[in-house]
Amino acid sequence: MPAAASPPAVPAPSDAPLHERTPVRVALLGCGVVGSQVANLLLEQSPDLGARVGAPLQLVGVAVRDLTRPRDGVPAELLTDDAEALVDTADIVVELMGGIEPARGLILRALARGASVVTANKQLLAEQGPVLFEAADAARADLSFEAAVAGAIPIVRPVRESLAGDQVNRVLGIVNGTTNYVLDEMTTQGMDLDDAVKRAQELGYAEADPTADVDGFDAAAKAAILASLAFHTRVSIHQVAREGIRGITSDDVDWARRTGYVLKLLAIAERTGEGVAARVHPALVPTDHPLAAVRGAFNAVFVEAEGAGPLMFYGQGAGGRPTASAVLGDVVSAARDRLIGGKGPQESAYASLPVLPSDAAVTRYQVRLEVADRTGVLAQVAGVLAEHGVSIDTVRQSEALTAPFEAEPASEPAPGAVPDEGEPVARLVITTHAAREASLAATVAALEGLEPVRQITSVLRVEGV
Amino acid sequence: MPAAASPPAVPAPSDAPLHERTPVRVALLGCGVVGSQVANLLLEQSPDLGARVGAPLQLVGVAVRDLTRPRDGVPAELLTDDAEALVDTADIVVELMGGIEPARGLILRALARGASVVTANKQLLAEQGPVLFEAADAARADLSFEAAVAGAIPIVRPVRESLAGDQVNRVLGIVNGTTNYVLDEMTTQGMDLDDAVKRAQELGYAEADPTADVDGFDAAAKAAILASLAFHTRVSIHQVAREGIRGITSDDVDWARRTGYVLKLLAIAERTGEGVAARVHPALVPTDHPLAAVRGAFNAVFVEAEGAGPLMFYGQGAGGRPTASAVLGDVVSAARDRLIGGKGPQESAYASLPVLPSDAAVTRYQVRLEVADRTGVLAQVAGVLAEHGVSIDTVRQSEALTAPFEAEPASEPAPGAVPDEGEPVARLVITTHAAREASLAATVAALEGLEPVRQITSVLRVEGV
């Protein structure tokens, strides 16, 4: 590998007509769905974009692995398979390859030369963010990543900059469009999970292997990035507790509806007195919460800030055009910063709050269980919760769904009553007040050992109340 | 007035401990609901804010008109009634006085010295934005105004920066919390307008004189600012067509609900092939549109961009704490820019698109009218619409609210039929396809002259379909 050339001179603001000014040179790494859109927009709209920057934006090349594959609308002479040489000619490097290597090495190479970097690589940021940010700070170069979280939705910039004078306490995000589509289809069309995933694959929302979406890996990467931004603390994907939607049944979705909730896969970042935590799991969201109205493959990020109060950012979380819009916004800002000789905000990690283990989380729960339908069982169940310090908000019994009743029943079982294998079964839906995850886990284990309990059908967290 | 001193030296980034670095000096003009919150947050959180900036933020003074009035939590020694002298000592001037003068003169004075300015003054920006932006550009100083539109909601920065690589086609905003509260109370509680306004006054949402809110002046100022930002074109409040909610009746709200809509006061900025336009008026929004779910005094701005697609930004549009959050975000950004020696985005007015007259607007309409209940009247009414080139989407008759039926009735009136004064009256609710405002106005005038028409009950625009 040749030694990197010294960075090209930064073009200065000028009074010359736009097209005569020194262009800002943009290199693109990757030319997939998003990359080809970015390339086309840079080629088509370049005079317009130039006016916003104050100098022309010039696409100097597009690095691809396979030079023989035609790239829609991208002239063949711009394509190259020598990504390193391309990086060495650019003022701004746009990394849209995804994955760890060679993306990581190319970004570090660009930053070392003083080039600005725009990336949509959530995996790389969530795993190796600190390495990249330190390189950007050392080079006093911009490292921007609006497209890495919630696609087209401006969320990185508002949290980094607009809320810079506020304190974020909590972030609840629907940041994976595929799983939101799947849960929405299950809710509105009564589909089961497998059929809804198939439907999402047919529509191009889900990959042939839907693991990254369905098991929450994609959302966990975004949760790590959101938590880092919101709390000025480095949080890596390995610190994010993760549970996907694979275990969600039509019955879960149906009971959610019947008890006044909608099931959503949430990326949650929260600050407590002890530190910060990030987690991803399915959660029951009250139907009147703004997140409950986020339908189909849309994304939304709900932010609770000390001063601003509740905020929500809503839009398309994926797709070539929407993601390209976020990338271009970062390119224009990076280009402006270069012309001005300034720099966008650096990584803000000054708070360095402790990142808490996942079992420290405190949430409400909804536990559905099947019990022998006989007098006094509710008292036994309530007793187990009380023993573990888990306080009950409401209990609903069977399909009756009458008004919530007292947890204390009128009569107790006769002493020495023997369980009857054939006896009828009642269904209980218990919603708790906020409880520690560890207490709830112990409660569930104890309930499983309780004689009249036939089955713990589901345990779901309740968020946004 | 003494000649303005030369601007104070810009503090440089430093490796010294935070508290030893040269502070960024912040002056506050005005100490009302928002101002006192900003002062308190600067005083209380200053180490935390300093870490985000890279240097301490120092509140050097608060200019007020009445020195004798105590200001909650603000030490008396910081208060001054000499705003000009205070401006001359500051790196960043935060203008929260409102109104045109003396705010305008003080902002220009600050900019002339090279100080950065943060303002929440929507009236001044909407009336005299270009003067202020030119002064900021000449001084290469930041002029920020996140708090001027939709309070705590980050909207100015996302539109200015995140969407800098995209094209905005349309903005629909609920930007006045008072009127949204009033319409929401009318919708959900069945109140009439006067009672809902009284309720808003009791809760502190509405002023004793609610004109600025109810008649749409506040929303019009914000529409002008949003249109300027979104379309890179200067739009002043005098170019915004404005209609408030004073004419809205319980009946309008009720019919909106019955026909699948919610009534909202919208600030609309849109781009057409001919130019751009901004208007404020009550509008019917479909119940499944994200704006329809914006309840109470909340604000939301819905943006349709070419690449990003639909986006929505939601949060609190008023109140001391939320607005102070937006102001502080701007202060932190301006302070960072000063340390870096950079500059935030300038006014972007390169597009300079023509601003269209209000009667060029093209929207759908819902017209409610009372007609003589006899055969053939519908055909006459439909004929009037057709003559004016206004095409009908649906017609609903009377209270029946059956499925929409064909606009072409089966039979025509008997020739020479004479109107009967005592005859029964039917109510028609006609929803049109998109039509020019001028065509619709001519249609309504013609309908008023039509013999069987007893009354045009209401004419409302339909948006967000």
Side-chain angles (χ1 to χ4, degrees):
Chain A
M1 177 176 115
S6 62
V10 173
S14 158
D15 291 329
L18 191 62
H19 65 276
E20 291 177 10
R21 296 184 202 168
T22 312
V24 178
R25 299 165 61 84
V26 181
L28 204 55
L29 310 181
C31 198
V33 178
V34 178
S36 59
Q37 286 286 350
V38 171
N40 279 296
L41 288 169
L42 280 170
L43 293 167
E44 285 163 21
Q45 300 195 3
S46 134
D48 210 31
L49 288 175
R52 299 184 200 184
V53 171
L57 283 180
Q58 186 194 348
L59 179 61
V60 292
V62 181
V64 294
R65 247 170 300 187
D66 179 0
L67 278 174
T68 62
R69 217 174 106 195
R71 311 283 170 164
D72 192 33
V74 182
E77 63 270 24
L78 283 179
L79 299 179
T80 173
D81 56 4
D82 187 348
E84 291 187 348
L86 177 62
V87 161
D88 292 350
T89 66
D91 301 313
I92 298 176
V93 173
V94 180
E95 186 273 307
L96 299 170
M97 317 170 92
I100 303 298
E101 291 294 355
R104 177 180 174 281
L106 291 166
I107 289 176
L108 291 175
R109 184 183 181 102
L111 292 171
R113 291 181 56 259
S116 305
V117 170
V118 175
T119 178
N121 194 330
K122 54 189 174 279
Q123 192 194 347
L124 180 58
L125 287 164
E127 291 196 8
Q128 310 224 357
V131 177
L132 306 183
F133 290 117
E134 274 160 25
D137 287 355
R140 289 186 53 78
D142 281 1
L143 173 61
S144 322
F145 51 94
E146 186 63 78
V149 183
I153 308 173
I155 178 67
V156 173
R157 192 177 303 273
V159 172
R160 263 182 145 181
E161 300 179 45
S162 306
L163 292 172
D166 204 333
Q167 177 183 300
V168 175
N169 292 325
R170 206 141 185 272
V171 179
L172 299 179
I174 295 172
V175 292
N176 180 273
T178 307
T179 46
N180 201 58
Y181 174 82
V182 167
L183 292 173
D184 195 28
E185 287 291 288
M186 290 177 74
T187 303
T188 59
Q189 311 295 321
M191 283 189 181
D192 70 15
L193 182 82
D194 290 342
D195 288 343
V197 169
K198 264 184 217 124
R199 183 83 183 270
Q201 286 167 327
E202 284 160 19
L203 290 168
Y205 293 145
E207 307 285 328
D209 174 5
T211 305
D213 296 323
V214 170
D215 291 325
F217 291 98
D218 173 81
K222 293 165 179 170
I225 299 171
L226 284 171
S228 304
L229 284 171
F231 305 135
H232 309 280
T233 293
R234 288 172 175 170
V235 179
S236 107
I237 189 172
H238 308 295
Q239 296 170 301
V240 180
R242 177 189 50 78
E243 183 188 321
I245 63 166
R246 211 173 276 275
I248 298 298
T249 63
S250 315
D251 209 38
D252 290 330
V253 168
D254 190 42
W255 272 95
R257 186 185 53 71
R258 294 164 73 169
T259 50
Y261 299 99
V262 180
L263 250 174
K264 297 289 184 190
L265 181 69
L266 295 187
I268 300 170
E270 60 190 354
R271 173 206 300 266
T272 68
E274 291 88 49
V276 303
R279 50 200 162 93
V280 167
H281 54 68
L284 298 166
V285 176
T287 45
D288 60 356
H289 191 281
L291 285 172
V294 178
R295 304 286 308 277
F298 274 83
N299 282 18
V301 182
F302 188 83
V303 177
E304 292 170 19
E306 192 64 29
L311 296 169
M312 191 171 82
F313 304 82
Y314 165 97
Q316 295 185 69
R321 285 301 299 278
T323 311
S325 164
V327 168
L328 277 177
D330 277 350
V331 169
V332 168
S333 289
R336 278 177 182 160
D337 283 345
R338 295 187 77 81
L339 288 180
I340 290 162
K343 187 183 172 321
Q346 306 166 211
E347 183 198 20
S348 172
Y350 71 87
S352 289
L353 299 169
V355 180
L356 304 175
S358 65
D359 64 358
V362 176
T363 60
R364 288 166 172 252
Y365 290 86
Q366 188 177 89
V367 181
R368 295 207 331 268
L369 65 169
E370 288 175 6
V371 296
D373 188 10
R374 69 175 104 106
T375 319
V377 170
L378 184 56
Q380 285 180 273
V381 168
V384 169
L385 272 80
E387 269 166 41
H388 292 84
V390 176
S391 142
I392 293 174
D393 180 32
T394 57
V395 179
R396 292 162 198 262
Q397 195 165 22
S398 272
E399 315 288 341
L401 280 183
T402 50
F405 52 85
E406 292 300 312
E408 202 70 49
S411 61
E412 291 297 306
V418 172
D420 170 3
E421 290 297 309
E423 77 187 323
V425 164
R427 177 179 266 171
L428 295 181
V429 182
I430 301 175
T431 308
T432 74
H433 287 296
R436 285 209 163 243
E437 177 137 342
S439 311
L440 201 279
T443 305
V444 169
L447 285 175
E448 277 170 342
L450 200 67
E451 180 276 316
V453 171
R454 297 287 165 266
Q455 179 178 218
I456 307 287
T457 318
S458 87
V459 179
L460 288 166
R461 294 174 190 82
V462 179
E463 300 286 348
V465 285
Chain B
M1 176 176 117
S6 62
V10 173
S14 157
D15 292 328
L18 191 62
H19 65 277
E20 290 176 11
R21 296 184 202 166
T22 313
V24 178
R25 299 165 60 85
V26 181
L28 204 55
L29 309 180
C31 198
V33 178
V34 178
S36 59
Q37 286 286 351
V38 171
N40 279 296
L41 288 169
L42 281 170
L43 293 167
E44 285 162 22
Q45 299 196 2
S46 128
D48 210 32
L49 289 175
R52 299 184 200 184
V53 171
L57 284 179
Q58 185 192 351
L59 179 62
V60 292
V62 182
V64 294
R65 246 170 299 188
D66 179 1
L67 278 175
T68 62
R69 216 175 107 195
R71 311 283 170 163
D72 193 33
V74 182
E77 62 269 24
L78 284 178
L79 299 179
T80 173
D81 57 3
D82 188 348
E84 291 188 348
L86 177 62
V87 162
D88 291 350
T89 66
D91 301 311
I92 298 176
V93 173
V94 180
E95 186 274 304
L96 299 169
M97 316 170 92
I100 304 299
E101 291 294 356
R104 178 180 173 280
L106 291 166
I107 288 176
L108 291 175
R109 184 182 181 103
L111 292 170
R113 292 181 56 259
S116 305
V117 171
V118 175
T119 177
N121 194 331
K122 55 191 174 278
Q123 192 195 347
L124 180 59
L125 287 164
E127 291 197 8
Q128 310 224 355
V131 178
L132 305 183
F133 289 116
E134 275 161 23
D137 287 355
R140 290 186 52 74
D142 281 1
L143 173 62
S144 322
F145 51 96
E146 187 62 79
V149 182
I153 308 174
I155 179 69
V156 173
R157 192 178 303 273
V159 172
R160 265 182 143 180
E161 300 180 45
S162 306
L163 292 171
D166 204 332
Q167 178 182 299
V168 174
N169 292 326
R170 204 143 187 274
V171 180
L172 299 178
I174 296 173
V175 292
N176 181 273
T178 307
T179 47
N180 200 58
Y181 174 83
V182 166
L183 292 173
D184 195 29
E185 288 290 289
M186 291 176 74
T187 302
T188 58
Q189 311 295 320
M191 283 190 182
D192 71 15
L193 182 82
D194 289 343
D195 288 343
V197 170
K198 264 184 218 125
R199 183 83 183 270
Q201 287 167 325
E202 284 160 17
L203 290 168
Y205 293 146
E207 307 284 327
D209 174 4
T211 305
D213 296 323
V214 170
D215 292 325
F217 290 99
D218 173 80
K222 293 165 178 170
I225 298 170
L226 284 171
S228 304
L229 284 172
F231 306 134
H232 308 281
T233 293
R234 287 172 176 171
V235 179
S236 106
I237 189 171
H238 308 294
Q239 296 169 302
V240 179
R242 179 188 50 77
E243 184 189 321
I245 63 166
R246 211 174 276 275
I248 298 299
T249 64
S250 316
D251 211 36
D252 291 328
V253 168
D254 191 41
W255 272 96
R257 187 184 53 72
R258 293 165 71 170
T259 51
Y261 299 99
V262 180
L263 251 173
K264 296 289 184 191
L265 181 69
L266 295 187
I268 299 169
E270 61 189 354
R271 172 205 301 265
T272 68
E274 290 88 49
V276 302
R279 51 200 162 92
V280 167
H281 55 69
L284 298 167
V285 175
T287 45
D288 60 356
H289 192 281
L291 285 172
V294 178
R295 304 286 307 277
F298 273 83
N299 282 18
V301 181
F302 188 82
V303 177
E304 292 168 21
E306 192 63 29
L311 297 170
M312 191 171 82
F313 305 82
Y314 165 96
Q316 294 185 69
R321 284 301 298 279
T323 311
S325 165
V327 168
L328 277 177
D330 278 349
V331 170
V332 168
S333 289
R336 278 178 181 158
D337 283 345
R338 294 187 78 81
L339 287 181
I340 290 161
K343 188 182 171 322
Q346 303 167 210
E347 183 199 20
S348 173
Y350 71 88
S352 290
L353 300 168
V355 181
L356 304 174
S358 65
D359 63 358
V362 176
T363 58
R364 288 165 171 252
Y365 289 86
Q366 187 177 91
V367 181
R368 297 208 329 268
L369 63 169
E370 288 176 6
V371 297
D373 188 10
R374 68 175 104 105
T375 318
V377 171
L378 185 56
Q380 285 181 273
V381 168
V384 169
L385 271 80
E387 270 167 40
H388 292 84
V390 176
S391 144
I392 293 175
D393 179 32
T394 57
V395 179
R396 291 161 197 260
Q397 195 166 20
S398 274
E399 316 289 340
L401 281 184
T402 50
F405 52 84
E406 293 300 311
E408 204 70 49
S411 60
E412 292 296 307
V418 174
D420 171 2
E421 290 295 309
E423 78 186 323
V425 165
R427 174 179 268 170
L428 296 180
V429 182
I430 300 174
T431 308
T432 74
H433 286 296
R436 284 209 164 245
E437 177 137 342
S439 312
L440 200 279
T443 306
V444 169
L447 285 175
E448 276 169 344
L450 200 67
E451 181 276 318
V453 172
R454 296 288 165 264
Q455 180 180 217
I456 308 285
T457 319
S458 87
V459 180
L460 288 166
R461 295 173 190 81
V462 180
E463 300 285 348
V465 286

